Amino acid sequence: MPDIGIVGFGFMGRMHFGCWSGLEGANVKAICDANPAIAADAGEIVGNIDGLPENVDLSGVNFYTDYDKFLTDEKLDAISLTLPTFLHADFAIKALEAGVSVLCEKPMALTLDQCDRMIAAAAESEAELMIAHCIRFWPEYAKAKEIVDSGEYGKVLVGHFQRLSVIPTWSSDDWMRDASQSGGMVLDLHIHDSDYVHYLLGMPVAVSSRALMTDGHVSHIDTQYHYDGGKLITAEGSWRVSDSFNFRMNFEILFEGATIVYDCTRDPVFMVYPSKADAFSPEVAAGDGYSREIEYFANLIAGKVLGPQGEVITPAQSKESLRIVEAEQESALTGKMVTL
C-alpha cells in the first residue's frame, strides 16, 4: 500500500488524513500546508458535515510549508490534494510531473482549460489522476445507481436532487466564499449533484436553470437537466439556508415501478417504495463516500481490480461535470436553455 502525503490540512485535508489512516497498509508520511502551525491548529478545524476524526495522531508525520521540498524529500506514491480550488491545476500538475499520483478534491478546477492541462499532465505521466467526487461513492447514492442500472423497477421517470447548506464560514482566509478561489456555490456545492446526475444518467443534452443572486454570485440554483425520452430531472443547491438548518442532502427518484428516497436528516435515511410490494430500507455498503473513494483510489494506483462497481470516475468525466455547471450558470444568467 502507498506512502501518502496530504496537501492542505483544512477540513477536507483532515478528512482525507482520517480515511488514509484507517486504510490498512497506507502510510501518511507528510503534510504540506502554508500554515507552519497547522499541527497545533488541527483540532480547531470545522465544517458543515460530521465525520472528521476526533483525535488526530500526527506523531511520525513530517510537516512542510514548501511544496517543492515536500515532493522532493518524501518520495511519495500519491497525494491527497485538498487545497482551495484555484490551486488544484498547478499543484496537481507539479505532482504528476514528479511521478506522484494525485487524488484531487472536487471540483477538478475553476476552468475547462485548467482541466485540460491536468488531463494532459496525467497522460504524460506514469502516475494516476483522480478527482474526488465523493457522492459517486456515497453508499446510498451508489446503491441508487445500482438500482437504476439493474432496470429492476423499469425506467426512471423523475429525479430530484437537493443539497442545502449554510454559507460556509469555516475555510481558512474565507476562501470558499471568494468565487475567484472556489468558483462559488455552484462549483463548490451544487456540482456534487450535477456530477451525480451525469454519473447516473449520462450527459444531458441541455440545461435550464434559475438562480438567486447574492453580491453578484449565484447563491441558490434550481436546474432542469434535459434528456431524450422525456425524463424530468432536476437538482437544487443553496448556500442560503438559515444557520439553525445547517445542512441537508437528499434525493427522490421515481421509476415506472417504484419510488426511492434518500434524506440524510431522516431515520432510516434510505427507503425503497415498490409499487407491488412493501417498502423497505435496502442494505448498502459500509463506510461513507470519503473512505470508499480513498479505498478505490488506493486500488487504482496499485493496479488492482476496482471492485464490482468497475470504473467509477475518470478525469474526463470530471471535466464534463464542470462543463455542465458552467452551462447551468450561463443559463441562470441569461434565462435561456443552454445546449451541451
Side-chain angles (χ1 to χ4, degrees), residues 17-160:
F17 178 88
C19 293
W20 279 115
S21 298
L23 187 63
E24 184 177 358
N27 175 34
V28 180
K29 291 183 64 181
I31 293 169
C32 184
D33 193 280
N35 177 8
I38 193 63
D41 293 345
E44 301 176 4
I45 296 169
V46 296
N48 65 339
I49 57 174
D50 297 327
L52 285 184
E54 293 183 3
N55 298 306
V56 180
D57 182 5
L58 299 176
S59 59
V61 177
N62 297 321
F63 292 90
Y64 295 82
T65 56
D66 185 319
Y67 185 56
D68 291 333
K69 184 173 177 60
F70 164 83
L71 288 175
T72 300
D73 290 0
E74 290 297 332
K75 309 300 181 186
L76 300 165
D77 295 303
I79 61 168
S80 274
L81 180 57
T82 55
L83 292 171
T85 306
F86 76 104
L87 299 172
H88 285 181
D90 288 343
F91 277 71
I93 290 167
K94 186 167 285 190
L96 292 165
E97 289 176 344
V100 178
S101 292
V102 177
L103 176 61
C104 176
E105 259 305 322
K106 47 56 57 190
M108 187 173 187
L110 289 180
T111 69
L112 297 177
D113 286 345
Q114 290 174 345
C115 294
D116 286 335
R117 289 174 51 217
M118 294 167 73
I119 290 170
E124 294 174 3
S125 173
E126 295 183 359
E128 297 284 352
L129 170 66
M130 174 179 151
I131 311 305
H133 282 286
C134 64
I135 295 302
R136 293 192 181 209
F137 297 89
W138 213 269
E140 292 83 6
Y141 287 77
K143 186 66 174 181
K145 167 71 169 170
E146 179 184 320
I147 292 170
V148 169
D149 289 351
S150 74
E152 178 181 1
Y153 298 115
K155 297 178 182 178
V156 172
L157 303 176
V158 178
H160 180 66

Side-chain angles (χ1 to χ4, degrees), residues 14-330:
R14 182 167 168 176
M15 183 69 78
H16 280 237
F17 178 88
C19 293
W20 279 115
S21 298
L23 187 63
E24 184 177 358
N27 175 34
V28 180
K29 291 183 64 181
I31 293 169
C32 184
D33 193 280
N35 177 8
I38 193 63
D41 293 345
E44 301 176 4
I45 296 169
V46 296
N48 65 339
I49 57 174
D50 297 327
L52 285 184
E54 293 183 3
N55 298 306
V56 180
D57 182 5
L58 299 176
S59 59
V61 177
N62 297 321
F63 292 90
Y64 295 82
T65 56
D66 185 319
Y67 185 56
D68 291 333
K69 184 173 177 60
F70 164 83
L71 288 175
T72 300
D73 290 0
E74 290 297 332
K75 309 300 181 186
L76 300 165
D77 295 303
I79 61 168
S80 274
L81 180 57
T82 55
L83 292 171
T85 306
F86 76 104
L87 299 172
H88 285 181
D90 288 343
F91 277 71
I93 290 167
K94 186 167 285 190
L96 292 165
E97 289 176 344
V100 178
S101 292
V102 177
L103 176 61
C104 176
E105 259 305 322
K106 47 56 57 190
M108 187 173 187
L110 289 180
T111 69
L112 297 177
D113 286 345
Q114 290 174 345
C115 294
D116 286 335
R117 289 174 51 217
M118 294 167 73
I119 290 170
E124 294 174 3
S125 173
E126 295 183 359
E128 297 284 352
L129 170 66
M130 174 179 151
I131 311 305
H133 282 286
C134 64
I135 295 302
R136 293 192 181 209
F137 297 89
W138 213 269
E140 292 83 6
Y141 287 77
K143 186 66 174 181
K145 167 71 169 170
E146 179 184 320
I147 292 170
V148 169
D149 289 351
S150 74
E152 178 181 1
Y153 298 115
K155 297 178 182 178
V156 172
L157 303 176
V158 178
H160 180 66
F161 306 85
Q162 189 179 58
R163 195 164 304 267
L164 310 175
S165 175
V166 297
I167 298 174
T169 58
W170 50 83
S171 58
S172 61
D173 299 322
D174 209 20
W175 69 265
M176 290 178 69
R177 289 198 291 175
D178 181 348
S180 69
Q181 297 187 48
S182 70
M185 185 280 297
V186 177
L187 265 69
D188 188 77
L189 180 76
H190 177 66
I191 196 171
H192 277 300
D193 290 310
S194 300
D195 176 74
Y196 184 68
V197 168
H198 176 201
Y199 178 49
L200 191 69
L201 300 170
M203 282 291 288
V205 297
V207 295
S208 300
S209 301
R210 297 181 65 187
L212 175 69
M213 307 296 291
T214 302
D215 298 327
H217 299 288
V218 175
S219 59
H220 188 113
I221 195 165
D222 198 332
T223 295
Q224 180 176 355
Y225 304 87
H226 299 275
Y227 286 91
D228 294 333
K231 291 186 287 287
L232 179 59
I233 308 299
T234 58
E236 183 180 13
S238 185
W239 274 353
R240 293 297 301 173
V241 298
S242 58
D243 290 346
S244 59
F245 186 96
N246 190 30
F247 178 75
R248 181 187 182 196
M249 61 181 184
N250 62 283
F251 63 75
E252 302 88 33
I253 303 174
L254 282 60
F255 298 80
E256 293 172 308
T259 298
I260 64 175
V261 177
Y262 168 77
D263 187 332
C264 73
T265 66
R266 293 183 180 181
D267 185 16
V269 298
F270 191 34
M271 289 292 296
V272 175
Y273 300 91
S275 297
K276 299 180 179 180
D278 293 336
F280 65 97
S281 183
E283 183 176 347
V284 300
D288 58 27
Y290 304 117
S291 60
R292 295 183 72 234
E293 75 184 357
I294 282 177
E295 182 178 9
Y296 173 96
F297 179 68
N299 287 333
L300 179 68
I301 63 178
K304 295 182 179 179
V305 174
L306 296 178
Q309 76 272 42
E311 188 176 59
V312 176
I313 183 73
T314 68
Q317 291 169 357
S318 298
K319 175 192 170 182
E320 289 298 273
S321 291
L322 180 62
R323 187 161 71 91
I324 293 172
V325 298
E326 284 193 350
E328 291 181 61
Q329 293 199 93
E330 180 183 347

